[in-house]
Amino acid sequence: MGVQAKDEQVEEKRRALLKQSQLKDYQRDAEADRALNEQLALELKVVEKKLKTYKADMIQLSYLLQDEKRRLDARIQQLDEELEEEQSNLEIMMDKVRKAQGQIEQLTNDIISERSNS
């Protein structure tokens, strides 16, 4: 075998080793990508589960807020009615006070009149 043939064999082996090395690099990269994809898929599942839980919590809180709003609206209505009733009672009492004051004034005038006539 000649020198040139030996050089060609060496060059061929070198190219084969280079291709084999590149193939191993590609395989490692592919495995790393697969592992990363699996990790991301797991993280995505966790995030989706949390999102589902948050949505359920939001719906529950929404119902609770609606119930609380209804309760507070009913309480406001009740207090408005009580206020109207108290205002009406106050007006009635003020009318009675005015009538009593008028009677007191009349009685006072009657007494003064009787005393001046006596």
Side-chain angles (χ1 to χ4, degrees):
M1 191 186 290
V3 175
Q4 187 177 2
K6 248 187 177 185
D7 286 345
E8 286 178 14
Q9 279 184 335
V10 168
E11 183 61 28
E12 209 172 293
K13 282 185 180 181
R14 189 187 66 76
R15 277 191 231 130
L17 288 173
L18 182 60
K19 285 182 182 180
Q20 189 177 15
S21 174
Q22 287 175 338
L23 181 60
K24 285 182 183 179
D25 287 345
Y26 293 149
Q27 286 174 336
R28 270 192 300 256
D29 289 347
E31 288 174 16
D33 287 347
R34 268 193 296 269
L36 182 60
N37 284 339
E38 289 173 7
Q39 181 182 356
L40 290 174
L42 289 175
E43 289 177 12
L44 179 61
K45 285 181 183 179
V46 169
V47 168
E48 287 174 340
K49 186 176 180 180
K50 285 181 181 179
L51 179 61
K52 187 176 180 181
T53 301
Y54 292 152
K55 284 182 180 179
D57 289 348
M58 284 179 50
I59 290 169
Q60 184 178 9
L61 288 173
S62 175
Y63 288 136
L64 290 173
L65 287 173
Q66 288 174 359
D67 290 344
E68 184 67 9
K69 184 181 183 307
R70 282 189 208 107
R71 187 187 70 75
L72 290 173
D73 286 343
R75 181 68 176 137
I76 288 170
Q77 180 65 31
Q78 178 188 2
L79 290 172
D80 283 343
E81 291 170 3
E82 290 176 12
L83 178 61
E84 287 178 23
E85 185 178 337
E86 289 299 322
Q87 286 174 336
S88 176
N89 290 341
L90 180 61
E91 288 175 14
I92 292 170
M93 293 301 289
M94 292 301 289
D95 286 342
K96 288 181 180 180
V97 166
R98 279 193 282 283
K99 286 180 186 177
Q101 285 175 337
Q103 290 174 348
I104 290 172
E105 285 179 26
Q106 183 62 44
L107 289 173
T108 302
N109 289 337
D110 289 347
I111 292 172
I112 291 173
S113 174
E114 281 183 24
R115 283 187 184 165
S116 30
N117 288 339
S118 3

